[in-house]
Amino acid sequence: MPFQKTANAEVADIISLRNWEQMHGGRSFKSKTASVGRVAANQTKYLLSHCTIMASVAVEDEPFDYLIKPESAAFVNQNDDAWSLAVLQMSYRSFVGAFNFVEHFQNSRASKGHILDAVLRKIRIAEDVLIGYVDILVATDLVHTELVENIRSGKTKYMSMGCLTDLVICSYCGARCTESHTYCQHLLYNKGDFLFDDSGVPRRIAELCGHPSLPNGGVKFVEASWVGTPAFPGASKRSIVLDEWLGPASPYTHVASQPTGIKKAASIESACSPAMLAHLNSRLKQQVSRK
Ligand SMILES: [Zn+2]
């Protein structure tokens, strides 16, 4: 039974993994729209936002790949969850096609849109300490006018991921836990603390999600929510990529009221790197060409 991880809020309505797969199979956002021949009746207007959703930590080499390098300890999130760069490399693409919710209300009827794309940016924060940031492209259905207005104004600016993980590993003793009742003493009593390892190095106690030995790292990202308070302080909207993008509808979005195909010019802030922009543009062209 996988662990359900969200960054900060109670999950009001949990959809089983099986149901999720049925809904999500083959990346619902793309495959279903690609098979629909009609154009005008199946478009939705979205606000596209580029958000940094999470970061990895750096871990030591095997067999001590459960020990978090102290320089990256700040990238454990506020729920004491962490992901190694290797796991994130194997799993971050599962954001693509995932739902966009508000406050982790994981019910497809409450969907506000979809995640169109995800990229991993690697950053060296110290010698031999490489971490990764995951940026996502979020398409929020314009029919949710209050939410969209709050995103545009900056009143709503934080995001938080939701994922399923097959196991968690104690970042101090390496215990592998697949059920919460099998937690080691560190995960029960010391999360958030630093404890010295046998070499005298301070180690942050956290739940490392997944492991590179598992398919897709054992982690599946299922949604990204707009939230009031993020678990990872860096998870915020970086820029609005397209103010009004006419994109393919999904069963969980709303038909655009005026499917005219008019797209506003991109208002792109400097927060978007040139490489990210080039990537987003090519993805958008692919999406549009599928219609
Ligand atoms: Zn432990």
Side-chain angles (χ1 to χ4, degrees):
M1 187 114 152
F3 287 97
Q4 175 110 15
K5 293 282 187 185
T6 59
N8 68 340
E10 285 187 24
V11 178
D13 185 355
I14 299 174
I15 297 168
S16 75
L17 187 56
R18 175 184 287 257
N19 287 342
W20 194 281
E21 294 280 6
Q22 284 171 348
M23 279 193 300
H24 243 317
R27 305 269 191 247
S28 65
F29 187 56
K30 285 191 250 173
S31 63
K32 286 185 180 156
T33 52
S35 64
V36 174
R38 291 171 295 167
V39 175
N42 287 284
Q43 291 181 308
T44 300
K45 284 182 178 173
Y46 301 94
L47 178 74
L48 297 190
S49 308
H50 164 204
C51 303
T52 298
I53 191 72
M54 63 190 303
S56 81
V57 293
V59 294
E60 304 291 350
D61 294 334
E62 288 187 277
F64 301 107
D65 59 349
Y66 52 86
L67 293 172
I68 296 171
K69 292 184 177 180
E71 299 91 334
S72 70
F75 297 94
V76 174
N77 80 14
Q78 288 168 355
N79 293 339
D80 303 309
D81 294 323
W83 292 260
S84 70
L85 178 57
V87 164
L88 218 46
Q89 275 178 310
M90 296 170 74
S91 59
Y92 80 94
R93 290 295 300 172
S94 59
F95 269 116
V96 180
F99 284 121
N100 177 210
F101 289 121
V102 170
E103 300 289 353
H104 302 297
F105 188 77
Q106 296 185 350
N107 180 317
S108 62
R109 286 167 301 185
S111 169
K112 308 301 179 195
H114 296 274
I115 312 305
L116 286 189
D117 202 8
V119 292
L120 182 69
R121 294 183 288 127
K122 293 181 199 169
I123 295 172
R124 189 171 302 283
I125 57 170
E127 195 176 347
D128 295 330
V129 184
L130 194 62
I131 64 158
Y133 279 98
V134 176
D135 286 5
I136 54 174
L137 181 63
V138 186
T140 305
D141 191 339
L142 290 189
V143 78
H144 306 290
T145 50
E146 187 179 350
L147 172 65
V148 166
E149 214 35 63
N150 287 342
I151 297 167
R152 283 179 174 148
S153 72
K155 188 175 169 190
T156 295
K157 60 181 177 179
Y158 294 120
M159 295 212 86
S160 175
M161 65 81 218
C163 80
L164 299 168
T165 181
D166 292 340
L167 86 171
V168 299
I169 299 175
C170 171
S171 67
Y172 188 75
C173 71
R176 294 182 172 218
C177 312
T178 53
E179 305 282 345
S180 57
H181 68 263
T182 63
Y183 276 7
C184 65
Q185 59 174 327
H186 313 106
L187 293 186
L188 284 175
Y189 305 115
N190 296 112
K191 277 198 295 188
D193 297 344
F194 281 85
L195 296 177
F196 290 101
D197 69 13
D198 292 345
S199 307
V201 178
R203 300 294 184 180
R204 174 78 144 79
I205 312 304
E207 295 186 22
L208 273 173
C209 298
H211 189 266
S213 60
L214 300 169
N216 300 313
V219 171
K220 182 178 175 66
F221 294 99
V222 292
E223 55 104 357
S225 284
W226 296 104
V227 295
T229 309
F232 164 56
S236 69
K237 183 188 78 186
R238 293 172 63 88
S239 61
I240 290 174
V241 176
L242 278 179
D243 193 51
E244 194 174 292
W245 177 56
L246 194 66
S250 84
Y252 313 106
T253 58
H254 301 75
V255 173
S257 55
Q258 293 175 303
T260 55
I262 296 169
K263 292 186 282 290
K264 283 193 181 175
S267 97
I268 295 157
E269 295 169 21
S270 55
C272 249
S273 70
M276 181 77 187
L277 282 178
H279 180 80
L280 294 181
N281 282 331
S282 81
R283 293 288 300 192
L284 288 174
K285 279 183 193 140
Q286 285 172 26
Q287 291 282 352
V288 171
S289 69
R290 282 196 185 95
K291 288 186 294 186

